[in-house]
Every structure is written in structure tokens, then in C-alpha cells.
Amino acid sequence: MKTIKQALLGATSAFVLFVAAPNLAKADELTLCWAAWDPANALVELSKDFTSQSGTTMKFEFVPWPNFADRILNELNSGGKLCDLLIGDSQWLGGSAENGYYVKLNDFFDKEGIKMSDFADAAVNAYATWPKGTPNYWALPAMGDANAWFYRKDWFAQPEIQAEFKKKYNRDLAAPTTWDELIQVAEFFNGREIDGKKVYGAAIFTERASEGITMGATSALYPYGFKYENTPGKYDMEGAVNSPEAVAGLEAYKKLYKCCTPPGYTDAYMGESLDAFKSGQVAMAMNWFAFFPGLYKDEKVGGDKIGFFVNPKEKVAASTLGGQGISVVANTDNMDGALAYIKWFAQPDVQKKWWSLGGYAVHKTVLNDPTFTESQPFAADFLVAMNQVQDFWQEPSYAILLQAMQKRLHDYVVADKGTAKEALDGLVKDWTEVFKDDGKL
Amino acid sequence: MTARIRERTGQFFRMRRFKTQVKSVTDTSSTILGEAVARATPAPIASRIRGLSDRSMAWLFITPAIALLLAVNIFPLIWAIYLSFTNFRANRPNAALESVGLSNYSRVLNDPNIWQAMQTTAHFVFWTILLQTLIGFSLAYLIDRKFRGHAFWTTIILVPMMLSPAVVGNFWRFLYQPQIGLFNHIVSFLTGIPPSSFEMLGSVRLSPWAIIIVDTWMWTPYVMLICLAGLRSIPDYIYEAAEVDRASLWRQFWSITLPMALPFIMLAVLFRGIENFKMFDMVTLLTGGGPGSTTEVASITLKREAFESWRTGRASAFAIILFVAVFGLANIYVKALNKVKQR
């Protein structure tokens, strides 16, 4: 009987250890969570230096973009301990700060001499502060990004295409600088046969489930004059969200979608845009700067064949903000290790290497370097874009606000439901309800 | 002919008598075996068990199942009912939990988006059940003829049902691709219209039908299987008696096959109805509820409300409304099914 009891006790202990061991964070181990994309691979490479200097083993949890918000927000909401460090979207700042998911870093920055003035102002404002623009820091700007464009430079350079374009539009064919030009160029290429293959005008974002169509359409809405509020901080959206300028912007986006995207392009985001371009289907495509190093290196469409341009302006110059800051998750069991990583990452030399590996550093040492604009063919555009970025709401209710916009935009742009004015009026109604629920109106 | 029927009827009753005798012998053997096992039970255990009444024993056996049921079904249900009367949001654990009365229910029931999702669900459920029942029953009727190679064809027909919805969703996405998809090329081949000129998943008009086609393709075999069981349960002598009465094939179908297979058909409709009412995976993989909200069925709206917008209280209210609707409709349906079975 005693033997049986001992055996049972042993088996139970072994089982408990087996179940619990993976959940016990080691003091010399850190898990960093981010989206699964090109820059994440660069970060893995960069972090090897941290491991060699500190002896801390770095583990990574990279989640594909369409599931990134779902997966990580579920983790935070459930008090999970998966991530010690999180490179999270700028829109999550409000909720994560107010719900205590992120560690406030002001004291740590002061103690370690990390100055936010060393980073690009727009990046600090967007990726680190909550309430927005105040000196309350919840993250260190980690990865600058904005939505921009790339095009088939080799097609644009073909003499017969140039001649035909000039004859038709009485101007030289070049990378568009306004939305009117963008639509014109897309229409020109759409349906054309190049290298024996039918091509289309442009690949844009139309994804419904997460954030795709909002990120794509705001690239037209912002330049046309869309604003979230008439007076910042007052939530007075009537006449701003649904202004005539905003309506014109949304109509322009739909026009581009209807005229010039490849067939079956009704639910497309980053991956589909890259696929369309790499397979030689489209003359132009929108996507985040984060993908540009990989595109430039692409054997089929990179190098001399690809050109880049910043989001075209219309009434104003504006780009949709991407990018993220790196935060320490309040629930971590390895706070010292996580803060040590932030301290290491903030160093100018590390930031320089981060840029050289394909990460978009926003440290001024990197951006103000005289050689920066020449360092990559898209570096100058990146600087321009980062100085004109606009971001979505960063409110704690951002998820509801985003879902409402996804639905209204997709209904109008893809499903042909109603007019642009009706879509934006509906959006004002949805957002007003959310802010009323939050007690802000 | 009459002599043959008399002979067959005699065979039938002889067979029944034989089966009864076999059953009686088997029962007797079981009793003897049971007693032997009981005698073999060690004395201490036997005495401990003997101290328990039959009722206590029954409770002992079903307690784990009931505990599991309470933990994973009943408790979450009660908790969801409680949350549906609050302003709870799962992404704001620090916010004060306040009672909002019936406000969540009122907002759900007055939300045009929810009603649109219910309408989309009803459209999907109606057409999938109709098509699956018609095709499933027809296939079962054909398979029941036991033609040469029917076993092989039964296996082939059952393949879609055995696949994972994730696999089905993904490969139908490729089949529906306007430029390279096989479906568009087959339609193009048959009709002459260019394959890229229509989008099954991107068109407001076609996307609901694209999902109905996939669901019908996948689940018709399931309906067929249940109908086949129903058809095989009809004794041959009834058809033979009908043949004696010179009933036409149509008359046999209408007066024997259909009424006797009806409980099985109704059971298949019930299973598919409940399944399709909560359809989520296939729609998510194929269209994600789009274009716009064209194919956004109730379960997708519920998921968005609960885990994307994080309005947990309101999502709970919506879930309770859906539960009551399905439970109520299923109960009415089961009563009708019982009536049919008793006829």
C-alpha cells in the first residue's frame, strides 16, 4: 500500500512539474511578442547582440497580422504571462495604459537617462504617449512606419508606354504626387498588356476582418481633408468625419478600387498586395514601409525594376501611420530583464544597427545622419512620410471604433451599399454612440 | 403470386420466433455471467458496495458527468445570463461593473445590423437545408437501389463530410478565385462568359450562394447517410405487398418510402438546422462575413461584438437571445418530429 502511495505521489509530482514548468519564467529568459513580418526577422537578428551582452535568452512570439490584435489583446485581457515585452500597435496604447497592461516608463527613462527628445517627435507622439501628446510614456518608439506606395519602374520607363501616356494626358508618366494623378496612372495601366500578360492598375487594402480597409481608405481620406474631430479632444465629429472633403476622399478610394484593382480583390491586405506586385499583376501597390527592404531585394521585381513614392497628397500631404512602440507588460515575471532590454534597445548604436538590418529606427541619430536618405532608395520617402503621419483613434474603445469603420467602409467601397456621405454619416452615428457609452459625450 | 407472399410471410414469422428464442438464451447467459462476476468480487469491496443503495450507486456513477456538465455548460450559461444585464467589457477589467437592466437586450433587439445578420442567417439556413435535404435524399434513394459499385460510390460521396471545415474553406477559396479558380473556369467553359468577369466571393449577389454551395457540397453526404438509414429500415415485405396490390412506383414512394423515411429526414433537418444556425468557420474562411456585411451571419456578428468590440455584456445578451431562439424552435420541431414518429 505504501509503495502504491509513493508511486502515486511521484507520478503526481512529475505531472505537476510537467504542466507547470513551461509557465515558470526563467530569470534569464525574455519573451518578446510582435507581429509575424519581415522586420520581426530583423529583430531576431538584432537581439542576438542583447543575448551575447546580457546572457538573457530571447524567445519570440510572432503572430500573423490578421490575428495579431485578437491574439495579443486576448492575452492581455486574460492576464496571461506569455509576453514580457510587447511591440503593440499604437491604437492599443489608450486601453493598455488605462487598464494597467503596460508599465509606465517615465521613472525608468529618467533614471536611465533615456530621452524622448532623442526620437522623432511624430513617433514619440504616436507610439509612446497616452493621453496622446502628453509626457506620459508607456512605450519606447521601436518601429516607425507609414503606408506608402511602390511601382514598376521598368514599366514606367518603357518608351512606348511613356509616349502613349504623354499623348493621352499631356504630361510625363512619373510616380504620382496627387490622388488625381494616382487614379489617372492606375486607369492608364489597368487592362494593359505588358510582357504578354494583362496587368491591373493598383493593389490597395480592402480587408474586412481586422483593419485593412480602414488603413487603406484613410490613405485617401487624410489627404482629402478628413478629420476625426473639429476640435481635438472634444469628440465633435459632425462636419469633420463626414465633411465634403472626407466624402470626396472616400469616393476617390472607391473609384480606385472599382477601376483598377485585380479581379477578386475584395478582401486584400498586406499579403495580397505583395503577392499582386510580386507576381507582376499590378503597376502600383500600397503597403507599409516595413516591407520595402524585402521588396527592393526581390529578385523578380526588386532592384532597378521597383520605385517607391510617399502617399500622394491632395488638399494636404498626409500618410496613414503604422509602426509600433515597445512596451513592458505589467504582468511580467522578469521586470528587470524587460527593462534591461528597453535600455539596450534605446542606445544609438543599436538603433543604427536596427535600421541597417531592415528595422525602421526613429532615433534622431539615425534619421539625422547625413547619409540616411541615401542609405536606401525609400529612406527619403520614409522621412517625408513620418513628418506627415496621421493616426486612428488611440482611445481605450479603439477596437469598437475600428470595427465600426471597417464595416461602414467595406459596405460602401466593396459592397456598393449607399453613398460615401451615408457611410460617413453612419460612422459619426456609430462613434457618437461609443463615446456616449464611454461618458465622453 | 399469393402463394409466394404466404410463403414469405411464413418465413418472416419463423425468423421472428427464432430471434426471440436466441434473445431469451442470450439473456439467460448474461444473468448467469453477471452472478458469476458478482461472486468473484473481493469481499471487502463487495461489502462496501453492498452498503450503497441502487440510487446511491446511480448517483455515484453520474456525478462526474453532471459535475462536468455544470462546469462547462450550465455555469457559463448562468454567468452569461448574469453578464447580459451588466455593462461588463472583458478588455476593461478595472472598470466598475454596473447593472444596466434590460438595456443590452433592448439595444440588441433594436440594432438593424443584428436583424440583418439574422436575415442572412435565415437565408443561409433555409437554402442549405432545402438543397441538402433534396440532394441528400435523392442520393440516398439512388444508393439504396444497390447498383453495381454502390459501396464505392457511397464512400466517394462521403469524402467531403470527413474533411475539416478549415481545409474545405481554404480550397474552395482557391476554386472560387476569379483568375485561376477551377469553378470560374468550369462556369466559363459551360456558359462562355470570361472566368474573371464574375467573383463568387466578392460579389454581393453571388457570395451568399457561394457559401451555400460549399456547405451543400460538404454536408449533403451527412443528410444522405441519415436518409439511407431511414430507407434501409423500411421492411421489404411492405413493398412486396404493395407490388401485389399493383401499386405504381410513384405510389410506393409517396405512400411507403416518404412517410416511413420522414422521421429520419426530419432528424437530418434538425441536426443541419442547428448546425447551420451557428455556422461560423466556413463563412469566416470563405468571406469573413463580406463583402461589406453581405454574408455576416449571426455567429460572426456575435464574435465581433464579443471579441473584437469587446462589448461583453451586449454580446452575452445577444448570445442568450440566440440560445432561446434555437432552443425554442428546436423544441417545437422535436414535438412535431415525435408526432410524425407516432403516426
Side-chain angles (χ1 to χ4, degrees):
Chain A
M1 195 63 185
K2 199 179 169 190
T3 321
I4 294 172
K5 270 186 185 170
Q6 278 173 343
L8 275 173
L9 193 67
T12 313
S13 310
F15 177 74
V16 169
L17 273 175
F18 175 75
V19 172
N23 298 322
L24 296 174
K26 289 182 194 165
D28 56 352
E29 191 175 276
L30 280 175
T31 302
L32 189 151
C33 301
W34 199 11
W37 61 335
D38 290 357
N41 301 328
L43 191 68
V44 172
E45 196 58 35
L46 183 73
S47 297
K48 286 176 183 168
D49 290 352
F50 176 72
T51 301
S52 65
Q53 285 169 28
S54 66
T56 303
T57 308
M58 290 301 293
K59 283 174 69 187
F60 298 92
E61 186 70 28
F62 297 146
V63 184
W65 268 111
N67 311 104
F68 183 49
D70 269 7
R71 171 79 181 87
I72 298 298
L73 292 179
N74 263 316
E75 182 66 26
L76 294 176
N77 292 334
S78 60
K81 286 180 177 286
L82 174 69
C83 317
D84 301 299
L85 290 157
L86 170 62
I87 303 187
D89 257 343
S90 53
Q91 301 98 308
W92 304 356
L93 272 175
S96 298
E98 293 198 2
N99 294 320
Y101 297 153
Y102 288 171
V103 174
K104 192 171 183 183
L105 297 170
N106 285 52
D107 291 345
F108 169 71
F109 285 167
D110 291 343
K111 188 180 150 204
E112 299 295 342
I114 299 168
K115 292 182 196 142
M116 283 295 103
S117 56
D118 287 342
F119 292 85
D121 297 341
V124 173
N125 190 38
Y127 307 142
T129 64
W130 179 260
K132 205 170 181 178
T134 63
N136 296 289
Y137 305 120
W138 303 90
L140 181 86
M143 166 85 189
D145 206 354
N147 200 13
W149 296 79
F150 41 99
Y151 66 102
R152 287 298 296 262
K153 209 170 167 182
D154 53 337
W155 295 358
F156 277 52
Q158 286 182 17
E160 63 277 12
I161 287 180
Q162 283 194 333
E164 200 182 324
F165 186 85
K166 181 137 192 172
K167 193 179 163 193
K168 197 170 180 185
Y169 298 109
N170 200 26
R171 68 180 178 87
D172 288 334
L173 175 61
T177 55
T178 67
W179 264 82
D180 286 341
E181 287 180 12
L182 179 78
I183 294 171
Q184 204 175 61
V185 173
E187 282 174 341
F188 173 76
F189 276 103
N190 199 62
R192 185 169 292 273
E193 196 161 294
I194 297 179
D195 303 333
K197 197 170 155 188
K198 187 180 178 183
V199 304
Y200 300 90
I204 59 176
F205 297 158
T206 57
E207 186 249 13
R208 168 71 175 87
S210 61
E211 58 170 21
I213 196 163
T214 300
M215 297 298 120
T218 47
S219 296
L221 289 167
Y222 296 148
Y224 274 84
F226 168 94
K227 295 274 174 218
Y228 289 96
E229 302 157 284
N230 290 304
T231 322
K234 295 284 178 198
Y235 303 99
D236 49 351
M237 295 166 289
E238 184 65 43
V241 169
N242 55 356
S243 65
E245 292 81 11
V247 170
L250 189 53
E251 283 171 349
Y253 196 71
K254 181 168 180 169
K255 188 175 177 187
L256 183 60
Y257 166 71
K258 286 287 170 195
C259 81
C260 309
T261 52
Y265 215 71
T266 53
D267 193 20
Y269 198 19
M270 309 175 206
E272 288 77 8
S273 155
L274 295 173
D275 288 347
F277 190 80
K278 286 180 181 175
S279 61
Q281 271 200 304
V282 289
M284 299 179 290
M286 66 160 52
N287 222 316
W288 304 103
F289 272 104
F291 293 107
F292 290 9
L295 280 166
Y296 186 65
K297 284 180 199 156
D298 191 275
E299 283 179 10
K300 277 186 182 171
V301 296
D304 292 342
K305 292 179 181 169
I306 193 170
F308 304 92
F309 59 95
V310 74
N311 191 44
K313 63 180 183 181
E314 194 62 31
K315 293 199 166 173
V316 291
S319 296
T320 300
L321 180 82
Q324 298 91 21
I326 182 167
S327 300
V328 176
V329 178
N331 224 8
T332 176
D333 289 328
N334 191 0
M335 185 67 75
D336 291 343
L339 290 171
Y341 187 90
I342 300 271
K343 185 184 169 188
W344 167 81
F345 189 72
Q347 296 173 80
D349 287 347
V350 175
Q351 290 285 309
K352 277 182 185 170
K353 189 169 182 187
W354 177 220
W355 168 250
S356 71
L357 288 171
Y360 282 78
V362 283
H363 199 284
K364 283 179 182 167
T365 316
V366 178
L367 302 179
N368 294 341
D369 189 311
T371 61
F372 178 78
T373 52
E374 302 300 322
S375 60
Q376 291 281 6
F378 40 81
D381 285 335
F382 174 63
L383 276 187
V384 173
M386 286 309 290
N387 284 319
Q388 61 180 41
V389 284
Q390 292 189 33
D391 196 10
F392 190 74
W393 298 105
Q394 291 188 352
E395 299 284 326
S397 289
Y398 104 91
I400 312 177
L401 301 165
L402 182 62
Q403 276 311 312
M405 191 159 187
Q406 284 286 108
K407 178 179 160 46
R408 296 286 178 186
L409 295 185
H410 213 266
D411 271 343
Y412 168 67
V413 175
V414 179
D416 286 328
K417 218 175 186 183
T419 63
K421 179 80 172 76
E422 284 165 358
L424 295 172
D425 286 347
L427 191 57
V428 172
K429 198 176 141 219
D430 296 342
W431 284 356
T432 303
E433 189 191 327
V434 175
F435 288 125
K436 274 186 181 166
D437 282 350
D438 286 355
K440 294 188 172 176
L441 275 176
Chain B
M1 179 69 96
T2 319
R4 217 181 77 197
I5 289 171
R6 203 177 298 131
E7 187 191 331
R8 282 278 176 91
T9 315
Q11 272 175 2
F12 175 73
F13 283 113
R14 276 198 297 280
M15 186 59 81
R16 269 184 71 172
R17 253 198 318 275
F18 174 69
K19 277 182 183 171
T20 315
Q21 283 162 2
V22 167
K23 191 173 179 295
S24 152
V25 169
T26 318
D27 287 350
T28 315
S29 311
S30 301
T31 316
I32 294 163
L33 190 68
E35 280 167 8
V37 169
R39 272 199 299 278
T41 309
I45 297 173
S47 65
R48 237 177 288 159
I49 292 173
R50 275 189 210 111
L52 291 172
S53 65
D54 283 356
R55 201 173 177 78
S56 309
M57 283 291 282
W59 275 108
L60 195 66
F61 285 129
I62 62 169
T63 299
I66 288 183
L68 201 68
L69 190 75
L70 283 171
V72 301
N73 273 13
I74 309 298
F75 171 71
L77 178 67
I78 293 167
W79 189 244
I81 293 172
Y82 165 66
L83 290 180
S84 71
F85 296 105
T86 68
N87 65 344
F88 180 64
R89 288 186 184 181
N91 67 339
R92 297 199 196 168
N94 303 330
L97 194 66
E98 288 169 17
S99 168
V100 293
L102 290 169
S103 160
N104 284 330
Y105 287 90
S106 146
R107 286 172 94 161
V108 166
L109 291 172
N110 288 305
D111 186 343
N113 294 329
I114 300 267
W115 285 109
Q116 194 197 331
M118 295 300 276
Q119 213 175 324
T120 307
T121 309
H123 178 269
F124 173 68
V125 170
F126 175 78
W127 283 106
T128 48
I129 287 182
L130 183 71
L131 292 172
Q132 286 169 23
T133 309
L134 285 176
I135 303 170
F137 185 78
S138 308
L139 285 173
Y141 196 71
L142 284 175
I143 296 288
D144 194 41
R145 301 294 94 188
K146 291 183 183 151
F147 54 88
R148 190 183 156 93
H150 75 276
F152 170 77
W153 287 110
T154 308
T155 312
I156 294 290
I157 291 168
L158 291 180
V159 167
M161 190 185 93
M162 297 172 195
L163 298 172
S164 146
V167 173
V168 172
N170 274 317
F171 84 63
W172 273 93
R173 248 184 108 92
F174 284 114
L175 291 179
Y176 282 143
Q177 216 285 334
Q179 288 164 292
I180 54 164
L182 189 64
F183 184 89
N184 282 38
H185 279 85
I186 289 172
V187 173
S188 170
F189 177 75
L190 295 173
T191 61
I193 56 172
S196 300
S197 64
F198 66 99
E199 294 173 17
M200 288 302 290
L201 298 177
S203 150
V204 174
R205 204 163 41 86
L206 297 175
S207 56
W209 294 103
I211 297 169
I212 289 169
I213 289 171
V214 178
D215 194 76
T216 303
W217 175 82
M218 186 170 180
W219 290 112
T220 295
Y222 177 75
V223 177
M224 183 202 83
L225 218 53
I226 296 177
C227 291
L228 193 61
L231 293 174
R232 297 245 162 112
S233 72
I234 304 172
D236 285 345
Y237 68 87
I238 299 181
Y239 288 108
E240 286 162 2
E243 270 175 32
V244 172
D245 290 343
R246 294 181 181 277
S248 66
L249 276 178
W250 172 247
R251 187 73 197 166
Q252 287 180 31
F253 175 80
W254 195 245
S255 303
I256 301 169
T257 312
L258 203 56
M260 296 197 78
L262 193 59
F264 290 85
I265 298 171
M266 286 182 75
L267 207 60
V269 168
L270 178 70
F271 289 157
R272 290 311 306 146
I274 291 173
E275 276 299 305
N276 281 358
F277 195 84
K278 53 186 190 176
M279 170 59 70
F280 179 80
D281 40 15
M282 190 90 78
V283 181
T284 301
L285 282 161
L286 285 170
T287 63
S293 316
T294 312
T295 57
E296 191 173 310
V297 288
S299 57
I300 291 187
T301 309
L302 180 60
K303 186 255 181 181
R304 284 191 171 142
E305 197 67 24
F307 299 109
E308 287 174 18
S309 295
W310 296 99
R311 288 192 278 222
T312 318
R314 205 189 293 189
S316 301
F318 186 27
I320 299 300
I321 291 169
L322 286 179
F323 171 73
V324 170
V326 175
F327 191 72
L329 286 173
N331 260 319
I332 295 168
Y333 189 86
V334 168
K335 276 186 184 152
L337 178 65
N338 286 336
K339 274 188 184 167
V340 170
K341 275 163 74 180
Q342 282 160 10
R343 274 197 315 206

Short mmCIF file of all heavy atoms in Angstrom, two decimals, chain B residues 138-165:
data_model
loop_
_atom_site.label_atom_id
_atom_site.label_comp_id
_atom_site.label_asym_id
_atom_site.label_seq_id
_atom_site.Cartn_x
_atom_site.Cartn_y
_atom_site.Cartn_z
N SER B 138 -32.23 12.27 -52.45
CA SER B 138 -32.14 11.68 -53.80
C SER B 138 -30.96 10.73 -53.90
O SER B 138 -31.07 9.62 -54.44
CB SER B 138 -31.98 12.77 -54.86
OG SER B 138 -32.99 13.72 -54.70
N LEU B 139 -29.80 11.17 -53.34
CA LEU B 139 -28.62 10.30 -53.37
C LEU B 139 -28.86 9.03 -52.57
O LEU B 139 -28.51 7.93 -53.01
CB LEU B 139 -27.40 11.05 -52.80
CG LEU B 139 -26.78 12.11 -53.70
CD1 LEU B 139 -25.70 12.87 -52.95
CD2 LEU B 139 -26.17 11.47 -54.93
N ALA B 140 -29.49 9.19 -51.41
CA ALA B 140 -29.77 8.02 -50.57
C ALA B 140 -30.69 7.05 -51.31
O ALA B 140 -30.52 5.83 -51.26
CB ALA B 140 -30.41 8.47 -49.25
N TYR B 141 -31.66 7.58 -52.02
CA TYR B 141 -32.61 6.78 -52.78
C TYR B 141 -31.89 5.98 -53.87
O TYR B 141 -32.16 4.79 -54.09
CB TYR B 141 -33.66 7.70 -53.38
CG TYR B 141 -34.91 6.99 -53.85
CD1 TYR B 141 -35.82 6.44 -52.94
CD2 TYR B 141 -35.18 6.84 -55.22
CE1 TYR B 141 -36.95 5.78 -53.37
CE2 TYR B 141 -36.31 6.18 -55.65
CZ TYR B 141 -37.18 5.65 -54.73
OH TYR B 141 -38.31 4.99 -55.14
N LEU B 142 -30.93 6.67 -54.52
CA LEU B 142 -30.15 6.00 -55.57
C LEU B 142 -29.25 4.92 -54.98
O LEU B 142 -29.18 3.81 -55.48
CB LEU B 142 -29.28 7.02 -56.31
CG LEU B 142 -29.98 7.92 -57.32
CD1 LEU B 142 -28.99 8.94 -57.87
CD2 LEU B 142 -30.55 7.08 -58.46
N ILE B 143 -28.55 5.29 -53.91
CA ILE B 143 -27.62 4.33 -53.28
C ILE B 143 -28.39 3.11 -52.76
O ILE B 143 -27.90 1.97 -52.81
CB ILE B 143 -26.86 5.01 -52.11
CG1 ILE B 143 -25.97 6.14 -52.62
CG2 ILE B 143 -26.04 4.00 -51.29
CD1 ILE B 143 -24.75 5.72 -53.39
N ASP B 144 -29.61 3.33 -52.30
CA ASP B 144 -30.42 2.24 -51.74
C ASP B 144 -30.82 1.21 -52.81
O ASP B 144 -31.24 0.10 -52.48
CB ASP B 144 -31.66 2.85 -51.08
CG ASP B 144 -32.36 1.83 -50.19
OD1 ASP B 144 -31.65 1.09 -49.49
OD2 ASP B 144 -33.61 1.76 -50.22
N ARG B 145 -30.70 1.62 -54.07
CA ARG B 145 -31.04 0.66 -55.15
C ARG B 145 -30.01 -0.47 -55.24
O ARG B 145 -30.20 -1.45 -55.93
CB ARG B 145 -31.06 1.37 -56.53
CG ARG B 145 -32.04 2.53 -56.69
CD ARG B 145 -33.47 2.11 -56.63
NE ARG B 145 -33.97 2.26 -55.28
CZ ARG B 145 -35.15 1.84 -54.87
NH1 ARG B 145 -35.95 1.20 -55.70
NH2 ARG B 145 -35.56 2.02 -53.63
N LYS B 146 -28.86 -0.26 -54.57
CA LYS B 146 -27.79 -1.26 -54.54
C LYS B 146 -27.33 -1.65 -55.96
O LYS B 146 -27.32 -2.83 -56.31
CB LYS B 146 -28.22 -2.49 -53.75
CG LYS B 146 -28.35 -2.20 -52.27
CD LYS B 146 -28.71 -3.43 -51.49
CE LYS B 146 -28.91 -3.05 -50.04
NZ LYS B 146 -29.84 -3.91 -49.36
N PHE B 147 -26.99 -0.65 -56.72
CA PHE B 147 -26.48 -0.93 -58.06
C PHE B 147 -25.03 -1.39 -57.95
O PHE B 147 -24.42 -1.33 -56.86
CB PHE B 147 -26.58 0.32 -58.94
CG PHE B 147 -25.92 1.52 -58.33
CD1 PHE B 147 -24.58 1.77 -58.54
CD2 PHE B 147 -26.65 2.38 -57.51
CE1 PHE B 147 -23.96 2.86 -57.98
CE2 PHE B 147 -26.04 3.48 -56.94
CZ PHE B 147 -24.70 3.72 -57.17
N ARG B 148 -24.46 -1.81 -59.09
CA ARG B 148 -23.09 -2.32 -59.10
C ARG B 148 -22.13 -1.18 -58.69
O ARG B 148 -22.17 -0.09 -59.25
CB ARG B 148 -22.78 -2.80 -60.51
CG ARG B 148 -21.51 -3.57 -60.66
CD ARG B 148 -21.36 -3.88 -62.15
NE ARG B 148 -19.99 -4.10 -62.49
CZ ARG B 148 -19.42 -5.29 -62.51
NH1 ARG B 148 -20.14 -6.35 -62.23
NH2 ARG B 148 -18.16 -5.43 -62.82
N GLY B 149 -21.30 -1.45 -57.71
CA GLY B 149 -20.33 -0.45 -57.24
C GLY B 149 -20.91 0.58 -56.29
O GLY B 149 -20.29 1.63 -56.08
N HIS B 150 -22.08 0.29 -55.74
CA HIS B 150 -22.71 1.31 -54.89
C HIS B 150 -21.90 1.59 -53.63
O HIS B 150 -21.88 2.71 -53.13
CB HIS B 150 -24.15 0.93 -54.53
CG HIS B 150 -24.27 -0.14 -53.50
ND1 HIS B 150 -24.21 -1.47 -53.81
CD2 HIS B 150 -24.42 -0.06 -52.16
CE1 HIS B 150 -24.32 -2.17 -52.69
NE2 HIS B 150 -24.47 -1.34 -51.67
N ALA B 151 -21.19 0.60 -53.13
CA ALA B 151 -20.39 0.79 -51.92
C ALA B 151 -19.25 1.77 -52.20
O ALA B 151 -18.96 2.67 -51.40
CB ALA B 151 -19.83 -0.54 -51.45
N PHE B 152 -18.63 1.61 -53.37
CA PHE B 152 -17.54 2.51 -53.76
C PHE B 152 -18.05 3.95 -53.85
O PHE B 152 -17.44 4.87 -53.32
CB PHE B 152 -16.97 2.06 -55.11
CG PHE B 152 -16.01 3.03 -55.71
CD1 PHE B 152 -14.71 3.13 -55.22
CD2 PHE B 152 -16.41 3.86 -56.76
CE1 PHE B 152 -13.82 4.04 -55.77
CE2 PHE B 152 -15.52 4.77 -57.32
CZ PHE B 152 -14.22 4.85 -56.82
N TRP B 153 -19.19 4.13 -54.53
CA TRP B 153 -19.73 5.47 -54.72
C TRP B 153 -20.20 6.09 -53.39
O TRP B 153 -20.09 7.29 -53.20
CB TRP B 153 -20.87 5.47 -55.75
CG TRP B 153 -20.33 5.28 -57.12
CD1 TRP B 153 -20.46 4.20 -57.93
CD2 TRP B 153 -19.49 6.20 -57.83
NE1 TRP B 153 -19.78 4.36 -59.11
CE2 TRP B 153 -19.17 5.59 -59.07
CE3 TRP B 153 -18.96 7.45 -57.56
CZ2 TRP B 153 -18.37 6.21 -60.02
CZ3 TRP B 153 -18.16 8.07 -58.50
CH2 TRP B 153 -17.86 7.46 -59.72
N THR B 154 -20.68 5.24 -52.50
CA THR B 154 -21.07 5.75 -51.18
C THR B 154 -19.85 6.34 -50.48
O THR B 154 -19.90 7.44 -49.93
CB THR B 154 -21.66 4.60 -50.31
OG1 THR B 154 -22.67 3.95 -51.07
CG2 THR B 154 -22.23 5.12 -49.02
N THR B 155 -18.74 5.62 -50.56
CA THR B 155 -17.51 6.12 -49.91
C THR B 155 -17.07 7.44 -50.54
O THR B 155 -16.72 8.38 -49.83
CB THR B 155 -16.37 5.07 -50.07
OG1 THR B 155 -16.89 3.80 -49.69
CG2 THR B 155 -15.17 5.42 -49.22
N ILE B 156 -17.11 7.51 -51.86
CA ILE B 156 -16.70 8.74 -52.55
C ILE B 156 -17.59 9.91 -52.13
O ILE B 156 -17.11 11.01 -51.84
CB ILE B 156 -16.78 8.55 -54.09
CG1 ILE B 156 -15.76 7.51 -54.55
CG2 ILE B 156 -16.63 9.86 -54.86
CD1 ILE B 156 -14.31 7.97 -54.46
N ILE B 157 -18.89 9.65 -52.08
CA ILE B 157 -19.84 10.73 -51.72
C ILE B 157 -19.60 11.21 -50.29
O ILE B 157 -19.77 12.40 -49.99
CB ILE B 157 -21.30 10.24 -51.90
CG1 ILE B 157 -21.60 10.05 -53.39
CG2 ILE B 157 -22.30 11.22 -51.31
CD1 ILE B 157 -22.90 9.31 -53.67
N LEU B 158 -19.15 10.30 -49.44
CA LEU B 158 -18.97 10.68 -48.03
C LEU B 158 -17.70 11.49 -47.77
O LEU B 158 -17.54 12.07 -46.71
CB LEU B 158 -18.96 9.43 -47.15
CG LEU B 158 -20.29 8.68 -47.02
CD1 LEU B 158 -20.13 7.46 -46.13
CD2 LEU B 158 -21.36 9.59 -46.44
N VAL B 159 -16.79 11.54 -48.73
CA VAL B 159 -15.49 12.19 -48.50
C VAL B 159 -15.60 13.65 -48.03
O VAL B 159 -14.98 14.02 -47.04
CB VAL B 159 -14.59 12.05 -49.76
CG1 VAL B 159 -13.37 12.97 -49.65
CG2 VAL B 159 -14.12 10.61 -49.89
N PRO B 160 -16.40 14.51 -48.69
CA PRO B 160 -16.43 15.91 -48.25
C PRO B 160 -16.76 16.08 -46.78
O PRO B 160 -16.22 16.94 -46.10
CB PRO B 160 -17.54 16.52 -49.12
CG PRO B 160 -17.66 15.63 -50.29
CD PRO B 160 -17.29 14.27 -49.82
N MET B 161 -17.67 15.24 -46.30
CA MET B 161 -18.11 15.33 -44.91
C MET B 161 -16.98 15.04 -43.93
O MET B 161 -16.98 15.51 -42.81
CB MET B 161 -19.23 14.30 -44.73
CG MET B 161 -19.97 14.37 -43.47
SD MET B 161 -21.11 12.98 -43.42
CE MET B 161 -20.16 11.77 -42.56
N MET B 162 -16.01 14.26 -44.40
CA MET B 162 -14.93 13.85 -43.50
C MET B 162 -13.81 14.88 -43.43
O MET B 162 -12.89 14.76 -42.64
CB MET B 162 -14.34 12.52 -43.96
CG MET B 162 -15.33 11.39 -43.93
SD MET B 162 -14.61 9.95 -44.69
CE MET B 162 -16.02 8.93 -44.94
N LEU B 163 -13.86 15.89 -44.31
CA LEU B 163 -12.79 16.88 -44.32
C LEU B 163 -13.02 17.93 -43.24
O LEU B 163 -14.14 18.18 -42.83
CB LEU B 163 -12.73 17.56 -45.70
CG LEU B 163 -12.43 16.65 -46.88
CD1 LEU B 163 -12.60 17.43 -48.18
CD2 LEU B 163 -11.02 16.11 -46.78
N SER B 164 -11.92 18.56 -42.86
CA SER B 164 -12.02 19.64 -41.87
C SER B 164 -12.58 20.89 -42.56
O SER B 164 -12.22 21.20 -43.69
CB SER B 164 -10.62 19.91 -41.33
OG SER B 164 -10.49 21.27 -41.04
N PRO B 165 -13.47 21.63 -41.87
CA PRO B 165 -14.01 22.86 -42.47
C PRO B 165 -12.91 23.85 -42.86
O PRO B 165 -13.05 24.59 -43.82
CB PRO B 165 -14.89 23.44 -41.36
CG PRO B 165 -15.24 22.29 -40.49
CD PRO B 165 -14.07 21.35 -40.56
#
